[in-house]
Amino acid sequence: VENKEKLEIANESEIKEGSAEIRTVVENNKVETFAINILQIDKNSDTKNLLFEVVDEKLLNKSGGIVQGMSGSPIIQNNKIIGAVTHVIVNDTKKGYGIFITTMLKEGEN
């Protein structure tokens, strides 16, 4: 059994543009961490709060960026979970959107 690391939940106010990471599976059912860059934060959107770009060469070489099946992959910044992958930008698979973890948790309570 893999070591399950517990992460703190970031408040929206803690989330900044700049470096972050996603954890996802690209091959062999192995969770890996890949570098991304948060380009824009939208607190008014329901599901597209975080616009990000994959900057990790390993992920770009393996998959070209965000692909189907990565939805729900956690987005982490400063060792806190800030959100999850929701959408890929179809004409630029290096870019994608994420939803705030706080929004997901609120929806989960409803």
Side-chain angles (χ1 to χ4, degrees):
V1 176
E2 261 184 74
N3 179 20
K4 302 280 188 230
E5 174 191 4
K6 284 191 177 165
L7 294 170
E8 279 184 58
I9 292 166
N11 293 319
E12 289 175 23
S13 62
E14 295 178 84
I15 302 168
K16 307 282 180 249
E17 290 177 7
S19 62
E21 57 193 30
I22 61 171
R23 292 192 185 156
T24 197
V25 175
V26 192
E27 63 185 3
N28 300 333
N29 294 326
K30 191 174 123 223
V31 176
E32 294 180 81
T33 301
F34 299 102
I36 64 168
N37 195 21
I38 295 175
L39 303 172
Q40 204 175 328
I41 298 165
D42 182 353
K43 294 184 177 174
N44 298 318
S45 174
D46 288 340
T47 58
K48 295 181 177 178
N49 305 123
L50 303 163
L51 173 63
F52 67 88
E53 178 176 38
V54 175
V55 293
D56 197 297
E57 289 299 322
K58 188 175 170 191
L59 182 58
L60 293 171
N61 289 335
K62 282 185 179 181
S63 69
I66 303 299
V67 294
Q68 201 172 6
M70 287 184 188
S71 291
S73 296
I75 304 172
I76 297 156
Q77 189 176 54
N78 297 322
N79 288 321
K80 292 186 178 184
I81 186 162
I82 63 170
V85 175
T86 54
H87 300 81
V88 62
I89 296 178
V90 178
N91 58 358
D92 185 356
T93 56
K94 281 193 252 183
K95 293 191 179 134
Y97 285 104
I99 185 171
F100 290 138
I101 186 67
T102 48
T103 303
M104 292 175 70
L105 292 170
K106 271 183 242 155
E107 288 298 315
E109 288 171 7
N110 292 342

